[in-house]
Amino acid sequence: ILLTLALLTSFVSNATLINLDLDKTNYLENEVVTAQLTVTDLDYFLSSFAATIGYDSNALALLNWTFGNGFDDGLGNSPYADDSVAGLFYLEDFADVDADEMILQANQGTGFTLATLTFRALTAGSQILSILGDDTEVVSLDGNSIDMFSQVDKSFDVTAVPEPASALLLLSSLLLIRTRFSKK
């Protein structure tokens, strides 16, 4: 009976979700796309995470990133990011070994933002940001639980910004000609 209860508890307790939340679903070319890497439905507190974000580097340019405060107890944490491979962005953050667990628990609650990423939309069309499953994991504060995640894709659309039409240039020319002839 105890073994059955332990198995049921282990299946129920593994509900942690990792996700990318976009500020919008439709963007214009050259507009900034903001994505938050979040973890929700925590049933234990975390000491670290690691994730790789994949994107089409011909369609999106990584501009900036910031880490959340879930692993910082006020005395520091160890964030790390690597964008040296085009189209892949690796990031991780670790709480200090001597971190104040009460502060970490208050920062994390049942979910928090791991990192915020900003991209520039370079080309029109459907785009995808992906959390790659092979490299995404969270580790519990006590070190007894490691959750790994499968791939998560977030799609959004980028619309082309119309170029100034030749009609606008023609209208400008006509206005210029009119002002020249009206002065005479």
Side-chain angles (χ1 to χ4, degrees), residues 44-70:
Y44 56 84
F45 298 104
L46 303 180
S47 66
S48 66
F49 88 95
T52 301
I53 308 298
Y55 61 96
D56 180 355
S57 60
N58 294 315
L60 297 170
L62 180 62
L63 298 176
N64 196 14
W65 62 87
T66 57
F67 285 91
N69 70 341

Side-chain angles (χ1 to χ4, degrees), residues 62-142:
L62 180 62
L63 298 176
N64 196 14
W65 62 87
T66 57
F67 285 91
N69 70 341
F71 298 108
D72 187 359
D73 67 345
L75 298 176
N77 53 320
S78 300
Y80 172 77
D82 181 3
D83 65 341
S84 62
V85 177
L88 291 177
F89 179 61
Y90 179 78
L91 62 163
E92 62 185 41
D93 198 358
F94 295 89
D96 187 66
V97 175
D98 297 324
D100 186 325
E101 290 183 23
M102 297 299 285
I103 294 174
L104 292 181
Q105 291 173 4
N107 288 348
Q108 293 179 12
T110 59
F112 64 100
T113 299
L114 297 167
T116 301
L117 315 167
T118 55
F119 297 86
R120 177 152 326 273
L122 301 176
T123 60
S126 293
Q127 306 299 332
I128 296 176
L129 282 175
S130 299
I131 304 171
L132 303 179
D134 294 343
D135 298 326
T136 303
E137 65 185 26
V138 295
V139 178
S140 65
L141 197 56
D142 61 11

